[in-house]
Amino acid sequence: MTPGDLRIQAAELTAFASEALEKSGARPADALTVAKHLVGANLAGHDSHGIGLLPAYVKHAVEGLVDVTADPEILHDKGAVLKVAAHDSWGKVAGDFAMKAAFPKVDALGLCAVTVSNAHHLGRIGAYGELAAQEGFAALFFVNVTDHDPMVAPYRGTDARFGTNPVCIALPPTGAKPAFLLDMATSRIAMGKARVAANKGGRVPFGSIIDADGMPTDDPSGFKGFEQKGALAPFGDHKGYGLAFAAELLAGAFSGGGTIQPGNERRGGIRNQMLAIVMQPDAFGDPADMEREMEAMWSYATASPPADWDSPVIAPGDPERALRKRRSESGIPLDPETVKQLNAAAEAVGVEGRLGVKE
């Protein structure tokens, strides 16, 4: 949290976002589902996928870039493979539909590979990993982004050719350890982090952004609001680039929804395609032995002497759990520029209430 930020409780943000989405045309149940998903990302510390995206969501609903009346459907159901067509429905609605359709197959067959095509923004992919983990499943997710211009440069490139193409791996909790959750963009920073930094007038790690001239920089000003001048860089150079490329092909081609290459339409919205592989750990061995091994590895990794004794070694998923607890109690920090954008978007569709205004 930086000086000047406001602290707003999750319930207030959820009600505000839900009303704005409903006034944009969303069905009440869908509006609440999407609003909870956005605020849930803030609670978990993923502000790049949180309430700050509401202006874009409202704009997409008003302009028809998300079909507010569409429902996802299963197009293909054969063995352990499911293919879900979202039909431009809300991403969270489509993502939940796909996961819940996959779970019975995972129980029956040991695993299920499910794809989603043409969903509006799926949001924080870790939420679907958490959903699988809560059911006792492990899951791997590969996602690509279409329907708008690319955001991430390839390794050795100087302009954008990919989306941020997240990859997520989730494992269920054991008797002694919580769920493992690795949820990351394949860019060095998420687009939303560049936007938040630009809104605050801050900087980002040098080299995480390439400017409009193709040069590395730490200045995110080209990403203020929802502009884009320049590109994000892949994390880990060729490693992140390779994962982004893999996610593009696995999600885009296997789902049938397409990749970000310019032969596919770019209307200026956000479409996601996803491949999720959901597994029942019991199908792969003795559950007790697997739990013991996972717990031993968890303890071994986190027992490494820390480089900074104020920052002990943690496991993937720990930061989200810690921030969710803290922000649930103290509120979600929002910078004044983001609050201004949220209020303007809500006002444009007829919401009377304003964030950050004391009655």
Side-chain angles (χ1 to χ4, degrees):
M1 186 168 179
T2 58
D5 281 1
L6 302 175
R7 284 275 184 182
I8 303 177
Q9 291 297 321
E12 181 182 352
L13 286 177
T14 300
F16 179 86
S18 183
E19 183 180 359
L21 291 166
E22 191 172 343
K23 286 186 178 294
S24 303
R27 295 173 293 200
D30 291 347
L32 183 58
T33 294
V34 175
K36 286 181 175 179
H37 189 43
L38 289 173
V39 176
N42 290 109
L43 286 172
H46 292 255
D47 295 326
S48 59
H49 288 67
I51 193 72
L53 289 173
L54 182 65
Y57 280 30
V58 166
K59 178 176 183 288
H60 295 165
V62 170
E63 295 181 357
L65 296 172
V66 51
D67 188 338
V68 296
T69 64
D71 292 307
E73 68 169 326
I74 295 172
L75 290 184
H76 174 92
D77 182 348
K78 184 176 181 181
V81 176
L82 281 174
K83 295 188 73 172
V84 172
H87 300 309
D88 286 330
S89 60
W90 293 107
K92 178 59 171 171
V93 173
D96 284 352
F97 176 89
M99 296 302 291
K100 291 172 182 176
F103 290 164
K105 282 188 174 289
V106 181
D107 273 327
L109 301 174
L111 60 81
C112 176
V114 58
T115 66
V116 178
S117 62
N118 297 321
H120 187 252
H121 191 226
L122 286 164
R124 185 176 77 93
I125 304 304
Y128 308 106
E130 289 167 347
L131 191 62
Q134 288 165 8
E135 295 292 322
F137 302 140
L140 295 82
F141 302 83
F142 301 91
V143 181
N144 79 329
V145 190
T146 63
D147 206 27
H148 63 70
D149 292 337
M151 299 174 286
V152 182
Y155 176 58
R156 297 180 176 174
T158 57
D159 69 352
R161 300 286 164 138
F162 292 89
T164 52
N165 291 10
V167 173
C168 177
I169 302 172
L171 285 88
T174 66
K177 301 295 181 183
F180 175 101
L181 183 70
L182 174 66
D183 178 20
M184 62 184 191
T186 48
S187 53
R188 281 191 202 180
I189 61 173
M191 174 63 80
K193 283 187 169 58
R195 174 177 51 78
V196 169
N199 286 346
K200 293 183 175 183
R203 296 277 167 168
V204 296
F206 184 83
S208 59
I209 287 178
I210 297 170
D211 67 21
D213 297 320
M215 300 300 294
T217 182
D218 62 356
D219 180 6
S221 58
F223 299 84
K224 189 171 184 178
F226 292 92
E227 300 174 358
Q228 182 183 335
K229 297 176 183 177
L232 304 177
F235 86 85
D237 298 328
H238 61 286
K239 298 175 184 179
Y241 164 57
L243 273 177
F245 213 145
E248 193 75 53
L249 299 177
L250 287 168
F254 277 49
S255 72
T259 64
I260 203 167
Q261 57 90 7
N264 294 319
E265 68 174 346
R266 296 175 183 171
R267 304 172 302 165
I270 305 174
R271 275 183 180 150
N272 281 148
Q273 333 298 329
M274 179 170 73
L275 168 66
I277 302 169
V278 188
M279 298 167 284
Q280 170 58 269
D282 295 1
F284 290 83
D286 180 73
D289 286 344
M290 294 176 71
E291 285 203 359
R292 279 193 294 270
E293 190 63 30
M294 288 191 289
E295 289 174 359
M297 186 63 222
W298 187 300
S299 297
Y300 174 65
T302 56
S304 177
D308 177 354
W309 285 99
D310 290 326
S311 301
V313 178
I314 57 177
D318 285 343
E320 288 87 346
R321 281 183 283 272
L323 272 173
R324 188 176 289 118
K325 182 177 185 300
R326 187 183 315 155
R327 290 184 171 187
S328 293
E329 296 169 352
S330 62
I332 291 167
L334 293 176
D335 64 273
E337 181 62 27
T338 296
V339 172
K340 180 181 176 181
Q341 292 167 1
L342 292 171
N343 284 332
E347 182 180 9
V349 292
V351 175
E352 294 184 1
R354 298 290 179 268
L355 295 173
V357 177
K358 293 183 179 180
E359 297 182 357

